[in-house]
Amino acid sequence: MQIKIAIDAMGGDHGPSVTITAALQFLERSADRTALLVGQPDVLRAELKHLKALHWLDEVDESGARLQIVHASEIVGMDEDIRSAIRNKKNSSMRIAIDLVKSGDAHACVSAGNTGALMGTAKFVLKTLPGIDRPAICAALPTRKGVTYALDLGANAESTPEHLLQFAIMGAMLASAVEGKTNPSVGLLNIGSEEIKGNQNVKRAGELLKASHLNFYGNVEGTDIYLGTTDVVVCDGFIGNVMLKTSEGIAKMMGDFLKEEYTKNIFRKMAALASYAVIKGFRKRVDTRRYNGATLLGLQGVVVKSHGSADAYAFGKALERAASEVEHGLLALITTEIERLHAEGLLTPQPPLVNDSQKSIVKHPPAHPAVPIEIEH
Amino acid sequence: MQIKIAIDAMGGDHGPSVTITAALQFLERSADRTALLVGQPDVLRAELKHLKALHWLDEVDESGARLQIVHASEIVGMDEDIRSAIRNKKNSSMRIAIDLVKSGDAHACVSAGNTGALMGTAKFVLKTLPGIDRPAICAALPTRKGVTYALDLGANAESTPEHLLQFAIMGAMLASAVEGKTNPSVGLLNIGSEEIKGNQNVKRAGELLKASHLNFYGNVEGTDIYLGTTDVVVCDGFIGNVMLKTSEGIAKMMGDFLKEEYTKNIFRKMAALASYAVIKGFRKRVDTRRYNGATLLGLQGVVVKSHGSADAYAFGKALERAASEVEHGLLALITTEIERLHAEGLLTPQPPLVNDSQKSIVKHPPAHPAVPIEIEH
């Protein structure tokens, strides 16, 4: 199967110089993928020419050209208002890339652009999978044992217990699809390890998770994330975002401390030379570029968000992630699992949250109107 | 003024071998403090004898003996149920130490014991200051610019906007008292920097903070904590606890990575020798022992919680923190500021949270019954 990835080539801090380089390396790694570069054609052609790679546009096989340019005249700014972007920039590289997934011309879309605009636009265009009420941002965090998939990392500011259950299902399917884990363990982020702790929302989510088919480990604390206690960690988007940003902040601070200690004086710099292998090894172990690429889970299409500041190597990791999710049939896995739980009465559709500041612009009706709707606050 | 600190000498992973060593060093550092060691007298005497320090019990000046033993026959276990501890272990070293603060025989209490039991017991015995509805755990986190005081780090699983305002006031007074900052800046932990993001609770808290007298910086993200963007960061206890535990987890992981890289083979170990100064400098900068000691803010008495695993150096830091809070009149500062805001109608007392899993065992009436009570959810 030829995997087609639509790339928002204009997005991110570096734009085409990063996205195109990464796309070419992505194509070189395997013949079974096609890259659709979405953006301003003259800019894209200029970059391809600079990279001496224009010939890729002519590399045609049974499935067509492996590298294609798709015209988009606008760009979404990094600080642009979400609603404004959705309403007014229908011809942005980000929007067109998502539209390609909607139309089936691409299996997945990858962007390094404005996160809020990407999420808002993707939700608006692609809509959620049947039985999923809210998409969630999910990323693979490096741990002592490998990776842990954490979600929601900021798609939603508040979530009901049922949303958390849905996140757990999606996260487990992602870990299963991409990491090949047969029965991924799921932890619920909480404070303290006894069930009686934590707030009402989390307690109720714990009950739902226990009743589900998931391999529910139970409550986990913040310390468990980097210990790799479970394959998946679930929390609401506010907590997830704080957790992620704090992790980045402290990791950066420690990295800066180490660098400062190494460069304080000439003797230290010499010690740095002697420790070259150590520093290189350490850097590799904490290299966030390897894990670049957060998935917007729960939409009718694979959407992966790259860090805005990603270099070509890191952006390439995001492309590989998107390809992997397509290849392993992630969306079908999620849909099947949701249907199973609905059939067993373990999942009920949720009404929109009251005063939800991120209301879907189009409200969609519950997936199974015959199932009684439980209102949880 | 002689500062009297009641020490739960039996608490923590190491008990008297740590607490007593730290207490003696504490007394040696300055003549203006007295240490009341609370615990099983024979155990405490045995440790003092081992340390060749029994003579301290006879060092008497105008204020009495600088080191005293206060009898407590029981110990609260590290995993003990909170309510059970409060009801049944009235003669624990933790309880007696808190009772000494209640009776005025000590200005402050320091314990390395079971956090939940310490908080529950302290709340039950000492009650909150007038105008404070919930105590909060506040700790100084090391940042690029020095320290940032973050609260609540886990005293409460949920908080109303008014609770967050009260936390902000207490945190600002703590930073002012201990760090000598004239007008400490306060940040509200949120996701994204625009006001429109975040959940309802946080949005409302932002409005209250803006209207207060505090030097309110505005929203801060997880990354801002370790950048030291503000002197104080406020969030609810669930988020604060996750944030703290995640920070500890990732810091430990990075430290382990560095150590593993340094000890992989003989060449690396030699590089480690060459980098001795670097490693030492780095360790010093990330040394959490320097910052040991979280304050249980908002009670009618100074209560400081040490890490259970603290060594004597770290426990000593907790003792110094307690002494500093007493010396700088922290409780009076908080009370004065609360009264000022009440008088200006900027603070209203809060009813107990519905389904609050950490209900006060004794409900106390609102501080100012004449002020209309606003019910916020």
Side-chain angles (χ1 to χ4, degrees), chain B residues 26 116 121 132 143 180 235 325 331 345:
Chain B
F26 176 69
T121 307
I132 297 291
T143 72
C235 59
E325 290 174 15
L331 300 192

Side-chain angles (χ1 to χ4, degrees), chain A residues 144 190-191 200 221 238-239 241 245-247 250 254 257 260-262 268 275 278 281-282 285 355, chain B residues 144 190-191 200 221 238-239 241 245-247 250 257 260-262 268 275 278 281-282 285 355:
Chain A
R144 299 298 286 134
N190 205 347
I191 59 178
Q200 294 304 313
E221 292 195 88
F238 197 104
I239 290 166
N241 191 266
K245 294 264 164 79
T246 311
S247 299
I250 199 176
M254 287 181 74
F257 280 173
E260 282 164 29
E261 290 301 318
Y262 261 120
R268 301 257 189 125
S275 307
V278 171
F282 176 70
R285 294 186 83 167
N355 290 327
Chain B
R144 297 301 285 136
N190 205 347
I191 58 178
Q200 293 304 312
E221 292 195 90
F238 196 104
I239 290 166
N241 191 266
K245 294 265 164 78
T246 310
S247 300
I250 199 175
F257 280 173
E260 283 164 28
E261 289 302 318
Y262 262 120
R268 301 259 189 123
S275 308
V278 172
F282 176 70
R285 296 185 81 168
N355 289 328

Side-chain angles (χ1 to χ4, degrees), chain A residues 2 34-36 56-61 63-68:
Chain A
Q2 194 72 3
T34 296
L36 310 177
W56 274 97
L57 295 171
D58 305 318
E59 303 252 337
V60 183
D61 56 23
S63 33
R66 294 195 58 218
L67 184 73
Q68 302 171 32

Side-chain angles (χ1 to χ4, degrees), chain B residues 237-259:
Chain B
F238 196 104
I239 290 166
N241 191 266
V242 167
M243 186 269 292
L244 184 74
K245 294 265 164 78
T246 310
S247 300
E248 290 176 357
I250 199 175
K252 181 171 192 326
M253 183 176 80
M254 287 181 74
D256 287 350
F257 280 173
L258 189 61
K259 186 174 171 187

Side-chain angles (χ1 to χ4, degrees), chain A residues 43-233:
Chain A
V43 173
L44 303 185
R45 282 185 169 275
E47 183 64 28
L48 281 167
K49 186 175 179 181
H50 170 70
L51 293 170
K52 299 181 181 11
L54 275 169
H55 61 89
W56 274 97
L57 295 171
D58 305 318
E59 303 252 337
V60 183
D61 56 23
E62 310 85 47
S63 33
R66 294 195 58 218
L67 184 73
Q68 302 171 32
I69 289 178
V70 178
H71 183 114
S73 52
E74 298 169 310
I75 305 173
V76 173
M78 287 308 266
D79 295 310
E80 191 150 350
D81 175 65
I82 299 169
R83 286 175 195 271
S84 157
I86 294 172
R87 286 203 178 103
N88 306 328
K89 282 202 177 165
K90 293 195 168 84
N91 218 287
S92 68
S93 51
M94 179 187 286
R95 177 61 179 266
I96 300 292
I98 295 170
D99 285 344
L100 288 169
V101 176
K102 175 84 174 175
S103 63
D105 290 306
H107 295 107
C109 149
V110 179
S111 172
N114 177 331
T115 308
L118 180 67
M119 277 190 339
T121 307
K123 260 202 303 190
F124 177 66
V125 172
L126 296 173
K127 308 287 183 282
T128 52
L129 290 164
I132 296 290
D133 298 291
R134 295 277 188 284
I137 295 177
C138 181
L141 304 180
T143 72
R144 299 298 286 134
K145 293 188 184 165
V147 293
T148 284
Y149 282 84
L151 74 165
D152 172 21
L153 296 178
N156 308 279
E158 325 188 65
S159 298
T160 64
E162 282 75 12
H163 293 156
L164 294 175
L165 172 61
Q166 293 173 19
F167 295 166
I169 293 162
M170 299 197 289
M173 293 306 103
L174 179 54
S176 172
V178 175
E179 306 294 328
K181 292 191 180 278
T182 37
N183 199 14
S185 56
V186 176
L188 179 63
L189 195 55
N190 205 347
I191 59 178
S193 45
E194 313 132 34
E195 274 181 42
I196 202 165
K197 290 194 180 177
N199 60 35
Q200 294 304 313
N201 226 32
V202 171
K203 280 184 208 169
R204 174 67 187 141
E207 291 163 13
L208 293 177
L209 283 163
K210 260 212 214 112
S212 75
H213 291 287
L214 295 169
N215 177 9
F216 180 47
Y217 171 92
N219 290 333
V220 293
E221 292 195 88
T223 22
D224 287 298
I225 296 171
Y226 293 101
L227 285 175
T229 304
T230 54
D231 300 310
V232 180
V233 171

